[in-house]
Amino acid sequence: MLLCMGCQWVPFAEVVSLLTVAAVAWEAGKPLVIEEVDVAPPQAMEVRVKILFTSLCHTDVYFWEAKGQTPLFPRIFGHEAGGIVESVGQGVTDLEPGDHVLPVFTGECKECAHCKSEESNMCDLLRINTDRGVMLNDGKTRFSIDGKPIYHFVGTSTFSEYTVIHVGCLAKINPAAPLDKVCLLSCGISTGLGAALNVAKPKPGSTVAIFGLGAVGLAAAEGARIAGASRIIGVDLNSNRYDQAKKFGVTEFVNPKDHKKPVQEVLAEMTGGGVDRSIECTGSVSAMISAFECVHDGWGVAVLVGVPNKDDAFKTHPMNLLNERTLKGTFFGNYKPRSDLPSVVEKYMNKEIELEKFITHEVPFSEINKAFDYMLEGHSLRCIIRMDASP
Ligand SMILES: NC(=O)c1ccc[n+]([C@@H]2O[C@H](COP(=O)([O-])OP(=O)(O)OC[C@H]3O[C@@H](n4cnc5c(N)ncnc54)[C@H](O)[C@@H]3O)[C@@H](O)[C@H]2O)c1
Ligand SMILES: [Zn+2]
Ligand SMILES: [Zn+2]
């Protein structure tokens, strides 16, 4: 804003609350309601972002359904998105208004032992916390309706035209990158790609099983293909997924429902003892156990990606581990959001990865509930939700 001070126009950054439009989840499993919501100014180390595009990931759906998760309502969901910085709070030096950013559900403070480790992306300060609905700075929300607080989700709450996010959960990206495509890199696609390339690390010529052929699983298949895997076996309860999956390098398909014996035994028979790598992208604990037990002894590595229910327990015989199988898990494909995500965006810009094929649906913000229906019916990979806004 420009203010006249002694007949001289000088820049003055006045950051005030603003009224925005957001999709509020008032109750578990009930359609979201588009509401006018007050968004407070960003506090120290926070950034207010104008969201242009967002999409739906299954993690939003679990916490909205709140069947196996802690219910916290009213809440604004959304964590896969792209936007533009509107204003910054005190102490923010890395970002300024106009910067293009991708919000990420798990952050990077750049100072803790995890952020300094080459191996971890589990930042002490900003790692994913699905049960916290408030900002770290003051334990309060930045969203309210008539003074009543509306809770945040994983620090991002992107189902809102404006949202407030900790600077450590924002990756600054190439402004030439189309936000309606690269928004997908802010969760699902980077998670699947990274689970394959950074964590499972299949060797050229190896056999990889992917459990769950949604967007995350298909991005993992894409990562396995890029790494040179020769057989990529997709496992899904929904047989309609197979045709789509072929476009992502999946070479064979197994539906556990078509077999009497456990799917891990089916896979072992198909592969002479087990797959070299498996990547689980379903969120089902029984699929997680199968994904571990289907890897070859001696060298097999299983990677868990799906988000389990709160009370799930993973049970397998210890001999499965003694027989030299490895079990791993990862959030966000082991990428550090601020340090690594800009270069994943560049891979899209250089045509090393394709995002268009993950986009099966698009809806305006006013029809956001359709995105939930498409995912629950198993029809969509990713549905782009266009906020009623232009840059
Ligand atoms: N770890 C992370 O950082 C991270 C990030 C994003 C998403 N996730 C999780 O990854 C999972 C996949 O997300 P998505 O958005 O691709 O979901 P999605 O709903 O689009 O895809 C999930 C697929 O799994 C299949 N499936 C479900 N149960 C199965 C079973 N028992 N056996 C075989 N297939 C089964 C479904 O039919 C579906 O095709 C979810 O659990 C999500 O919460 C984790
Ligand atoms: Zn997600
Ligand atoms: Zn950190």
Side-chain angles (χ1 to χ4, degrees):
M1 174 186 275
L2 290 174
L3 287 185
C4 177
M5 292 177 66
C7 288
Q8 224 186 342
W9 289 98
V10 292
F12 178 69
E14 186 195 15
V15 184
V16 292
S17 281
L18 53 78
L19 202 58
T20 195
V21 186
V24 178
W26 289 101
E27 279 180 71
K30 294 277 165 61
L32 308 187
V33 184
I34 304 286
E35 305 271 10
E36 285 202 325
V37 174
D38 281 307
V39 187
Q43 296 192 3
M45 302 312 279
E46 294 175 357
V47 177
R48 195 159 60 190
V49 178
K50 179 172 189 164
I51 300 295
L52 299 186
F53 301 95
T54 184
S55 54
L56 183 67
C57 166
H58 212 128
T59 311
D60 295 306
V61 177
Y62 294 141
F63 287 86
W64 164 74
E65 288 179 321
K67 287 181 187 156
Q69 312 293 354
T70 311
L72 184 61
F73 295 93
R75 201 171 200 187
I76 297 173
F77 287 102
H79 63 281
E80 208 173 75
I84 296 182
V85 173
E86 179 261 345
S87 56
V88 300
Q90 199 194 344
V92 173
T93 51
D94 290 17
L95 291 173
E96 56 182 30
D99 283 343
H100 287 213
V101 286
L102 299 184
V104 182
F105 63 86
T106 195
E108 181 185 355
C109 76
K110 296 198 174 180
E111 279 162 24
C112 73
H114 288 273
C115 288
K116 288 187 172 154
S117 154
E118 275 182 21
E119 292 176 309
S120 172
N121 67 347
M122 296 300 298
C123 174
D124 272 333
L125 182 70
L126 298 166
R127 71 170 61 175
I128 181 171
N129 183 327
T130 50
D131 290 344
R132 186 175 57 225
V134 293
M135 298 303 285
L136 279 176
N137 216 27
D138 59 354
K140 294 193 175 138
T141 69
R142 301 288 170 270
F143 300 115
S144 60
I145 296 181
D146 298 331
K148 181 179 162 58
I150 311 289
Y151 293 111
H152 295 248
F153 180 62
V154 293
T156 52
S157 292
T158 59
F159 295 163
S160 177
E161 203 180 327
Y162 286 90
T163 185
V164 176
I165 300 174
H166 193 285
V167 65
C169 297
L170 287 167
K172 178 175 167 177
I173 60 156
N174 181 347
L179 287 171
D180 60 341
K181 308 288 183 302
V182 297
C183 63
L184 298 184
L185 292 172
S186 91
C187 178
I189 312 307
S190 299
T191 295
L193 264 185
L197 294 171
N198 303 333
V199 189
K201 297 184 185 165
K203 298 198 171 111
S206 56
T207 299
V208 179
I210 309 284
F211 284 69
L213 302 177
V216 177
L218 292 176
E222 196 81 328
R225 189 185 53 76
I226 293 168
S230 58
R231 287 178 76 187
I232 302 177
I233 307 173
V235 180
D236 203 299
L237 298 173
N238 176 357
S239 293
N240 296 331
R241 292 288 199 200
Y242 185 35
D243 270 348
Q244 205 167 33
K246 288 181 198 159
K247 289 188 223 147
F248 296 81
V250 173
T251 56
E252 291 150 80
F253 179 75
V254 177
N255 186 336
K257 288 197 275 191
D258 294 342
H259 300 270
K260 288 212 175 70
K261 50 181 86 158
V263 66
Q264 50 271 50
E265 288 178 26
V266 176
L267 290 163
E269 279 171 17
M270 286 168 68
T271 55
V275 298
D276 302 309
R277 300 289 186 268
S278 78
I279 305 173
E280 177 281 325
C281 309
T282 69
S284 148
V285 73
S286 64
M288 294 179 194
I289 294 166
S290 303
F292 172 58
E293 293 182 352
C294 78
V295 299
H296 207 289
D297 55 5
W299 61 79
V301 179
V303 178
L304 307 187
V305 177
V307 172
N309 283 344
K310 194 163 51 103
D311 300 324
D312 278 340
F314 184 99
K315 186 165 176 259
T316 192
H317 197 281
M319 194 55 84
N320 290 326
L321 284 149
L322 296 179
N323 285 346
E324 303 185 355
R325 295 181 181 89
T326 303
L327 178 62
K328 296 183 173 189
T330 175
F331 277 114
F332 202 52
N334 200 234
Y335 286 119
K336 283 182 161 60
R338 294 161 89 185
S339 304
D340 298 337
L341 193 47
S343 61
V344 184
V345 169
E346 290 313 310
K347 279 189 199 292
Y348 168 75
M349 298 300 278
N350 299 332
K351 300 195 175 3
E352 289 167 57
I353 51 176
E354 206 191 308
L355 294 174
E356 289 74 3
K357 62 186 175 183
F358 290 96
I359 302 171
T360 52
H361 297 77
E362 273 191 30
V363 292
F365 188 40
S366 57
E367 293 176 20
I368 187 169
N369 288 301
K370 283 191 180 164
F372 284 69
D373 297 338
Y374 298 143
M375 178 161 277
L376 288 169
E377 288 158 9
H379 291 323
S380 62
L381 290 177
R382 281 299 189 256
C383 177
I384 301 289
I385 300 156
R386 301 177 159 266
M387 313 304 286
D388 191 18
S390 49

